[in-house]
Amino acid sequence: MLTFALPKGSLFKDSIQLLQKAGLDFSAFLDESNRQLQITDPTGTAKALLVRAQDVPVYVEYGQAQMGIVGEDVLREKTPKVAKLVDLGFGGCRMSIAVAQASGYQSPLDLPPHSRIASKYVNCARTYFDSIDLPVEIIPLYGSVELGPITGMAEAIVDLVSTGKTLKDNGLIEIEVLYHSTARLIAHPLSYRLHSDRFGQLIQQI
Amino acid sequence: MLTFALPKGSLFKDSIQLLQKAGLDFSAFLDESNRQLQITDPTGTAKALLVRAQDVPVYVEYGQAQMGIVGEDVLREKTPKVAKLVDLGFGGCRMSIAVAQASGYQSPLDLPPHSRIASKYVNCARTYFDSIDLPVEIIPLYGSVELGPITGMAEAIVDLVSTGKTLKDNGLIEIEVLYHSTARLIAHPLSYRLHSDRFGQLIQQI
């Protein structure tokens, strides 16, 4: 039986809808009283695990799920050993560098050396600042990264921006877009090679 | 002005109540319509930042907050450079090793070498298994760690257990308690030395 790892959070509803188009019904997850973390499609042909977005590639990499849906941002940060199959188009957002509007910085190159950069995406932030040869201190945070510049702990943040409302509400502005992210269909490489017919058919339906 | 870093999540309400006893009112955070991440006490003598539990020691370590409230579990996992002042008593839980009931394992020593251990507390898990000289593979997860043994991805988990209901609901049993955790009052070491009078007075009130 094919198992999907589906991400909680912003990509969740679109992921369920997408699989419905391919004849797989996991809408029981949408029921607010649902407490189950794994359910089987009513046709009995597929199963889904409901996990944190960052955990989707883990379940796929270890083969507990043969396929998964996850944002490009997670794949770039974690670089898991999974096959990237299709850009699903939804969940569009961008990985950006933002600073306090009052700081006057207009480009990452304006940041002084040894600036502090707060981010949930430490690998991504490190890679970018290495690429422009600017030595910075990365401060790993788990949430509300916008507090970094507000409290004066960090000169800038590297974070995922969707509508830009959170930045605006907190007096921050984007000074650079590192990349655009959308939801991706990923697969366990070996499962994909062994069951390429089934996977191919499913991708067509999607 | 003294700034407190307060943790979202399970310690949140008790933290607000505790500071109220010391005459500091941050109950505006409890208002469900509140979107602010930092507020000032009505007396104007203290400020509070509302952040993820894991980020509390970061704000304190960097001196953006002079004091913070956080679980012992976070302090053990991150080993931040902060002064631990008081065991606040609330938020009691334990860091445990759990396995599927059906597995038959009754002690960590029953686990076969090179078992997979799923955990949000990778440093804590690594330290423990090193201490018993059992080579294991730690699988870092962000949430729903109980899915590890359920899906067969991991033989065991290392996770925080409060009532034990989640474990029971998922057919898991505890086979070892690594330590007990409660909420702690922490401080920025230098601020603490410089303002020991103010801090001491506050600790007395608490």
Side-chain angles (χ1 to χ4, degrees):
Chain A
M1 197 192 303
L2 206 57
T3 301
F4 288 84
L6 302 181
K8 291 180 184 178
S10 58
L11 302 180
F12 180 48
K13 282 188 184 171
D14 283 333
S15 300
I16 302 272
Q17 279 172 12
L18 182 86
L19 293 175
Q20 274 178 325
K21 281 185 206 162
L24 297 171
D25 183 12
F26 298 115
S27 59
F29 277 144
L30 294 172
D31 184 345
E32 288 202 0
S33 67
N34 172 64
R35 300 258 304 164
Q36 284 186 289
L37 298 173
Q38 56 179 343
I39 55 175
T40 304
D41 167 68
T43 66
T45 56
K47 218 169 64 176
L49 305 174
L50 182 58
V51 301
R52 290 279 186 99
Q54 297 99 320
D55 293 341
V56 165
V58 180
Y59 285 92
V60 174
E61 191 172 346
Y62 280 92
Q64 256 57 41
Q66 286 77 47
M67 296 184 107
I69 295 176
V70 68
E72 171 74 6
D73 59 303
V74 174
L75 298 176
R76 290 219 188 188
E77 180 65 17
K78 307 270 167 199
T79 59
K81 293 187 196 84
V82 297
K84 285 200 212 177
L85 302 186
V86 189
D87 180 347
L88 298 172
F90 63 83
C93 51
R94 52 195 186 272
M95 187 64 73
S96 293
I97 303 179
V99 296
Q101 191 149 22
S103 71
Y105 301 127
Q106 294 181 347
S107 141
L109 295 169
D110 293 342
L111 291 168
H114 309 292
S115 286
R116 288 172 174 170
I117 313 294
S119 188
K120 285 179 268 186
Y121 298 85
V122 292
N123 294 326
C124 166
R126 170 65 55 212
T127 304
Y128 174 76
F129 284 101
D130 281 356
S131 81
I132 63 166
D133 252 339
L134 186 70
V136 295
E137 180 180 358
I138 311 283
I139 303 180
L141 288 181
Y142 282 76
S144 304
V145 178
E146 58 276 14
L147 263 179
I150 292 174
T151 60
M153 182 166 68
E155 272 88 352
I157 63 173
V158 171
D159 206 16
L160 216 50
V161 180
S162 169
T163 62
K165 187 172 181 311
T166 304
L167 293 184
K168 207 177 164 194
D169 288 350
N170 288 287
L172 305 182
I173 50 161
E174 285 174 87
I175 55 171
E176 183 80 332
V177 174
L178 304 191
Y179 62 83
H180 285 84
S181 174
T182 45
R184 306 285 161 143
L185 186 69
I186 60 171
H188 184 258
L190 184 60
S191 301
Y192 182 56
R193 285 203 297 276
L194 290 175
H195 307 288
S196 54
D197 288 0
R198 176 83 206 275
F199 280 45
Q201 191 192 341
L202 215 131
I203 292 169
Q204 286 303 326
Q205 288 173 316
I206 285 172
Chain B
M1 196 191 305
L2 205 57
T3 301
F4 287 84
L6 303 181
K8 293 181 184 177
S10 58
L11 302 179
F12 181 50
K13 283 187 183 171
D14 284 331
S15 300
I16 302 274
Q17 278 171 14
L18 182 86
L19 292 175
Q20 273 177 328
K21 280 185 208 163
L24 298 170
D25 183 12
F26 299 117
S27 59
F29 276 145
L30 294 172
D31 185 345
E32 286 202 2
S33 67
N34 171 65
R35 300 259 304 163
Q36 284 187 289
L37 297 175
Q38 56 179 344
I39 57 176
T40 303
D41 167 68
T43 66
T45 56
K47 218 168 64 173
L49 306 173
L50 183 58
V51 301
R52 289 279 185 101
Q54 299 99 320
D55 293 340
V56 165
V58 180
Y59 285 93
V60 174
E61 190 172 346
Y62 280 93
Q64 257 57 42
Q66 287 77 47
M67 296 186 108
I69 294 177
V70 68
E72 171 74 7
D73 59 301
V74 173
L75 297 176
R76 291 220 188 188
E77 180 65 18
K78 307 268 167 202
T79 59
K81 295 187 195 84
V82 296
K84 285 199 213 179
L85 303 186
V86 189
D87 180 347
L88 299 171
F90 62 84
C93 51
R94 52 196 186 272
M95 187 65 73
S96 294
I97 303 179
V99 297
Q101 192 149 22
S103 71
Y105 300 126
Q106 293 180 349
S107 143
L109 295 169
D110 293 342
L111 291 168
H114 309 294
S115 286
R116 288 172 175 170
I117 314 294
S119 188
K120 284 179 268 186
Y121 298 85
V122 293
N123 294 328
C124 166
R126 169 65 57 212
T127 304
Y128 174 75
F129 284 100
D130 281 356
S131 80
I132 63 166
D133 253 339
L134 186 70
V136 296
E137 180 180 357
I138 311 283
I139 303 180
L141 288 181
Y142 283 75
S144 304
V145 178
E146 59 275 15
L147 262 180
I150 293 175
T151 60
M153 182 166 68
E155 271 89 352
I157 63 174
V158 171
D159 206 18
L160 215 51
V161 180
S162 170
T163 62
K165 188 173 181 309
T166 305
L167 292 184
K168 206 177 163 195
D169 288 351
N170 288 287
L172 305 181
I173 51 161
E174 286 174 85
I175 56 170
E176 183 80 332
V177 174
L178 304 191
Y179 62 84
H180 285 83
S181 174
T182 46
R184 307 283 162 147
L185 186 68
I186 59 171
H188 184 257
L190 186 61
S191 301
Y192 182 55
R193 284 203 298 275
L194 290 174
H195 308 287
S196 54
D197 288 359
R198 175 82 206 274
F199 280 46
Q201 191 191 340
L202 216 130
I203 292 169
Q204 286 302 325
Q205 289 172 316
I206 284 172

